[in-house]
Amino acid sequence: MCHIIVTNVLPIAIILSHENAEIEIGNQLTLTAIVQPENVTDKTIIWRSSNNEVATVDNSGVVTARGIGDCEIFASCGEIQAVCHINVIKKLIYITLDQHNVSIMPNHIITLTPTVTPVAADLVVTSSDPAVAAARLAGDKIQVVGITEGTTTICVNSADGYAFSDSCLVEVYTERGDVNCDGFVNISDVTVLIDALLSSDIAYSVENSDCNNDGNVTISDVTALIDALLGGATLPGKDSEIITVNGLSFKMMKVKGGTFLMGATDGQGDQAYDDEYPVHEVTLSSYSIGETEVTQALWQAVMYSNPSGLTGNLNRPVETVSWNDCQTFIAKLNQMTGKSFRLPTEAEWEFAARGGNLSHDYMYAGSNNLDEVAWVISNIPSQQPNTEGYGTQPVAQKAPNELGLFDMSGNVYEWCSDWFDAYPAEPQVNPTGPGDDEGCHYRVNRGGSWNRYGRSSRVSLRNNATPESAYFNIGLRLAM
């Protein structure tokens, strides 16, 4: 005889379809629950809300959002319980601007057009720096007025704050000849320039006042400005600036701000490494960057020494300089010139290497043909140490890229300001990389070098080294 004893199989776990959920008021969400093990005798689920004023739940697990706030939805089977956190929000508004990066002069107005869903929504618009540009609603448009040079972010949101908002980066700039920086070039600028030349107490924009772009502000600039106003001459654009230190001149090229995809885009082919992903959107303000890498001549003019291991021609890029050495050099250069030079951020470097807003999405800086734009191991004149043509080459011998920048691919790697870390996935505005306290140990350098193959010269390739390291294939390019 066999005695059979039948016992209940009790639940040991409940798995919910959601652990956290966000619901708009009036909407519903269906939660499902799986009781384990499968042979549980009684799988009846008891549903309960911790706050029925926020959300209710029926016997089949359908959650209905009732009011703004948070609550817990409990699913119980026997003595086992699972929970889903519910966040009830007001019905969202979606706002999209027609422009996300614009430039404007002082006392000039541009119009932004927001698209709002649903249409019936009260909006508010703010400027992150109202001293640079102010913004206001004008009917269904946003009017932005430039005030003074700089950048600001114009943000539009719903009046109650429950919206997917949007923003536009605004650069306020002035033109050469606009001495008083009021957004117009007229006879008043001539008066201000003459007064400035006669009295050092009068403030004026040096860059705007250098009307003939010769690096100095003299009476000849008054003549150039008058000729331009009379229609007999055109003032040079502000796409470059010549800096002179200890009798040595170098050029900084203007890079107009914009938005681009950073990382291993399609133009990089199948050669990318993992640290070039994810490709992510970056928006940058305008800045300036060196036309060439810092030469041994410029380093020597500032530091009165030449640390390079590959000498013989002072127009070669300086190398064997650590990231820390570059900070010392830049500090002294700023003291000598009164400027605010720095290393470019990694994002600024890549945007410039790609050609900025003029980019053709080349694999290298200025071309898909490596030999046209870069000195690398496959094309330097000599592979033998201590022979003519070995090592780095004088700057600006290859073709420039779309912005007129030389050697951003090849010759020497170039230090950037950022610590090295993985890319974020979300869009960035003027990113500067991780902070000092985030456990990073290496600084970024970019661009490939004379002793590397072409793969290292791609515009998205990333390299890194400790800030104390100094190698004969790493130099720098200035930014400001």
Side-chain angles (χ1 to χ4, degrees):
M1 179 179 293
C2 176
H3 295 279
I4 298 175
I5 301 175
V6 179
T7 60
N8 290 331
V9 178
L10 299 177
I12 61 173
I14 302 173
I15 300 175
L16 287 179
S17 57
H18 296 73
E19 293 183 357
N20 295 278
E22 187 175 77
I23 319 175
E24 295 179 2
I25 287 181
N27 286 356
Q28 293 183 326
L29 170 70
T30 300
L31 297 177
T32 58
I34 299 175
V35 180
Q36 294 182 332
E38 293 184 359
N39 62 340
V40 169
T41 303
D42 183 0
K43 295 186 177 182
T44 302
I45 298 291
I46 304 299
W47 297 92
R48 177 176 63 86
S49 171
S50 65
N51 189 338
N52 286 324
E53 293 183 359
V54 175
T56 58
V57 60
D58 65 15
N59 293 332
S60 60
V62 177
V63 179
T64 302
R66 302 294 185 184
I68 296 173
D70 296 273
C71 72
E72 312 294 336
I73 301 297
F74 299 99
S76 302
C77 182
E79 296 183 359
I80 303 300
Q81 181 175 272
V83 62
C84 173
H85 178 78
I86 299 293
N87 178 28
V88 178
I89 59 176
K90 188 172 180 178
K91 190 170 182 63
L92 285 176
I93 297 168
Y94 299 86
I95 305 170
T96 304
L97 290 172
D98 61 333
Q99 300 181 80
H100 294 94
N101 194 297
V102 297
S103 298
I104 183 176
M105 295 181 71
N107 298 315
H108 291 247
I109 296 175
I110 59 168
T111 300
L112 304 176
T113 302
T115 300
V116 185
T117 306
V119 175
D122 294 328
L123 302 180
V124 292
V125 59
T126 57
S127 172
S128 63
D129 191 345
V132 172
R136 71 181 185 92
L137 289 167
D140 60 351
K141 305 290 185 180
I142 298 171
Q143 288 185 340
V144 181
V145 57
I147 299 174
T148 189
E149 283 191 312
T151 57
T152 185
T153 300
I154 304 300
C155 183
V156 58
N157 203 340
S158 61
D160 57 15
Y162 289 98
F164 285 109
S165 60
D166 204 359
S167 62
C168 177
L169 188 68
V170 177
E171 176 197 17
V172 180
Y173 70 100
T174 55
E175 294 286 3
R176 192 180 302 278
D178 183 13
V179 182
N180 59 10
C181 297
D182 67 352
F184 303 92
V185 178
N186 51 35
I187 194 64
S188 64
D189 296 296
V190 176
T191 303
V192 172
L193 182 53
I194 292 173
D195 289 343
L197 289 170
L198 294 175
S199 173
S200 58
D201 295 332
I202 297 178
Y204 64 97
S205 168
V206 174
E207 185 179 9
N208 291 356
S209 302
D210 184 12
C211 297
N212 59 8
N213 196 26
D214 65 353
N216 300 294
V217 179
T218 63
I219 193 64
S220 63
D221 295 297
V222 176
T223 302
L225 180 54
I226 292 173
D227 287 346
L229 291 172
L230 294 176
T234 301
L235 297 179
K238 288 175 62 176
D239 57 348
S240 66
E241 182 179 0
I242 297 174
I243 311 294
T244 302
V245 55
N246 274 347
L248 184 73
S249 296
F250 62 97
K251 186 180 290 186
M252 299 294 293
M253 307 295 286
K254 183 81 169 182
V255 182
K256 185 176 175 59
T259 299
F260 76 110
L261 293 178
M262 185 173 180
T265 52
D266 291 343
Q268 297 301 290
D270 59 357
Q271 300 187 43
Y273 295 98
D274 290 346
D275 62 12
E276 298 172 50
Y277 295 98
V279 177
H280 55 292
E281 183 180 280
V282 173
T283 299
L284 295 174
S285 304
S286 296
Y287 58 101
S288 294
I289 196 165
E291 180 187 34
T292 70
E293 294 155 334
V294 170
T295 62
Q296 296 177 28
L298 177 56
W299 187 282
Q300 189 166 289
V302 175
M303 303 296 290
Y304 303 103
S305 64
N306 184 2
S308 303
L310 300 166
T311 57
N313 187 327
L314 290 179
N315 283 326
R316 283 178 162 187
V318 70
E319 27 78 13
T320 319
V321 289
S322 70
W323 189 92
N324 292 336
D325 293 335
C326 294
Q327 303 309 307
T328 302
F329 166 79
I330 289 170
K332 190 168 182 180
L333 177 63
N334 287 340
Q335 185 178 29
M336 296 171 72
T337 62
K339 299 289 186 180
S340 299
F341 292 106
R342 55 180 174 82
L343 290 176
T345 66
E346 186 177 15
E348 288 174 337
W349 188 97
E350 184 168 322
F351 186 55
R354 288 178 174 274
N357 295 319
L358 304 177
S359 176
H360 292 142
D361 197 24
Y362 291 131
M363 180 175 290
Y364 311 107
S367 179
N368 286 324
N369 183 336
L370 181 68
D371 288 337
E372 289 182 354
V373 294
W375 291 111
V376 293
I377 196 169
S378 61
N379 64 18
I380 59 171
S382 173
Q383 299 290 333
Q384 301 302 317
N386 302 317
T387 60
E388 185 177 355
Y390 174 78
T392 57
Q393 302 299 307
V395 299
Q397 301 300 301
K398 294 285 188 176
N401 76 346
E402 298 94 320
L403 294 175
L405 305 174
F406 295 90
D407 298 307
M408 294 206 75
S409 287
N411 221 357
V412 290
Y413 284 104
E414 301 170 13
W415 286 112
C416 296
S417 61
D418 309 44
W419 289 103
F420 180 84
D421 203 356
Y423 280 153
E426 62 273 9
Q428 304 285 301
V429 177
N430 293 323
T432 58
D436 292 348
D437 59 347
E438 296 185 39
C440 301
H441 304 287
Y442 302 91
R443 292 285 185 178
V444 174
N445 53 77
R446 300 289 296 264
S449 72
W450 63 271
N451 66 337
R452 293 288 187 267
Y453 289 97
R455 181 174 184 173
S456 297
S457 295
R458 294 179 298 101
V459 293
S460 68
L461 182 124
R462 310 176 73 198
N463 194 39
N464 63 85
T466 61
E468 302 84 13
S469 302
Y471 300 108
F472 65 150
N473 64 349
I474 304 181
L476 75 154
R477 187 183 299 262
L478 294 168
M480 68 175 181

